Amino acid sequence: MLDCRAIVFDLDGTLVDSFAPLAAAVNAVRASLGMPPVSDDVVRGQVGRGVPALLAHHAAPERLPAALETFGVAYAKVLGKTRPLPGVPEVPLELRRRGIRLAIATNKPAVFGRPIVEAVGLGEAIGVVLGPDCGVPPKPSPEMIRRALELIGARAEEALYVGDMPLDVESARAAGVRPVLVATGAVSRVELDAVPGALVLDDLRALLPLIRAI
C-alpha cells in the first residue's frame, strides 16, 4: 500500500492525451517558418520539458520568440482536442472523496493546463494547477512540486508525485516526494521499468487500489 495525504500529478501523458493538439500547434509554427509538417509521433518524442524546449526542435533561437507566439495562438484553438486518459476523471475524483489532497505540477503553461483540467471533469477535484508561467522553474527543478504541496497544505514525506517520464522521477526525488509512473505517455513501459526506484503502473486506474489515506 501507498500511505499518503497528498498526490501531485503531471498532466500530459499522465492525466490527458494532448499529443495531437500539440503536434497541430507545432505544425502551425513550422508552417509559419516555411517548413513541412511533422507527425504526431515526432512531437510525442519531444515533449516533457516545456514549450520553449519543444519549439527549440523546430525553430532557430532567433526565431523562438515569434514561434512561441504562433504556438500559443494555434494551441489555444485546438485545446478541445485533448482527451482524458483511462481513469480520468474517475480516479482523481475518488481520491479526493477519500480525503487525498490533489494538485497538478506540469511543464505545460497553466494558462493552457487549467482549461484542460476543467474540460476533462477534474476542476472539482484539483484546484491547484501550476506551470512554468506561475513564477516557478520547469521540471526537473523540484520547486513546482514543492510549491504545489505548500498550496494544498501537505509535506513532501506524506505525498506522491505521479508522472509518465524519467524526468518526473528526477523532479520528485529532488522534492523529497515518492515517485509513481504510469505508462500512458511518451515513454514506453520497458523504458520506465528501467528507471531505478520508481513504481510503474500500466495506467492511472492501477493507482487507486494502492492508495491509503493518512
Side-chain angles (χ1 to χ4, degrees):
M1 295 295 291
L2 296 171
D3 295 335
C4 68
R5 190 182 304 276
I7 300 175
V8 182
F9 292 100
D10 174 48
L11 184 58
D12 292 343
T14 302
L15 298 176
V16 300
D17 180 347
S18 59
F19 295 115
L22 284 171
V26 165
N27 282 325
V29 170
R30 291 179 63 86
S32 74
L33 298 173
M35 302 166 67
V38 294
S39 69
D40 292 5
D41 285 341
V42 168
V43 175
R44 187 184 186 96
Q46 296 170 342
V47 300
R49 293 184 177 270
V51 176
L54 170 61
L55 294 184
H57 292 282
H58 305 276
E62 65 273 13
R63 293 189 171 188
L64 193 55
L68 286 165
E69 184 174 350
T70 300
F71 178 92
V73 172
Y75 191 47
K77 294 178 180 178
V78 294
L79 278 182
K81 296 183 179 180
T82 305
R83 296 290 177 257
L85 285 166
V88 176
E90 298 83 10
V91 170
L93 289 173
E94 173 59 20
L95 290 169
R96 192 69 194 93
R97 189 193 68 78
R98 295 181 187 181
I100 303 291
R101 303 171 190 181
L102 306 178
I104 289 174
T106 170
N107 278 349
K108 180 190 294 294
V111 67
F112 299 128
R114 291 192 186 100
I116 289 172
V117 167
E118 292 289 340
V120 298
L122 291 176
E124 177 185 342
I126 305 177
V128 172
V129 181
L130 295 182
D133 55 336
C134 296
V136 287
K139 300 176 295 181
S141 167
E143 292 308 313
M144 198 185 305
I145 296 175
R146 289 173 177 163
R147 178 62 175 154
L149 291 173
E150 179 183 336
L151 289 172
I152 60 176
R155 300 190 305 273
E157 60 268 23
E158 59 189 16
L160 304 176
Y161 185 70
V162 181
D164 69 304
M165 303 179 71
L167 171 78
D168 295 319
V169 175
E170 181 181 351
S171 307
R173 286 177 175 158
V177 176
R178 288 174 292 175
V180 177
L181 295 176
V182 288
T184 48
V187 182
S188 72
R189 176 68 192 251
V190 171
E191 293 174 275
L192 295 181
D193 283 335
V195 178
L199 172 63
V200 183
L201 307 175
D202 286 334
D203 62 44
L204 201 66
R205 293 170 295 186
L207 179 66
L208 200 55
L210 302 178
I211 297 299
R212 183 166 56 197
I214 58 173

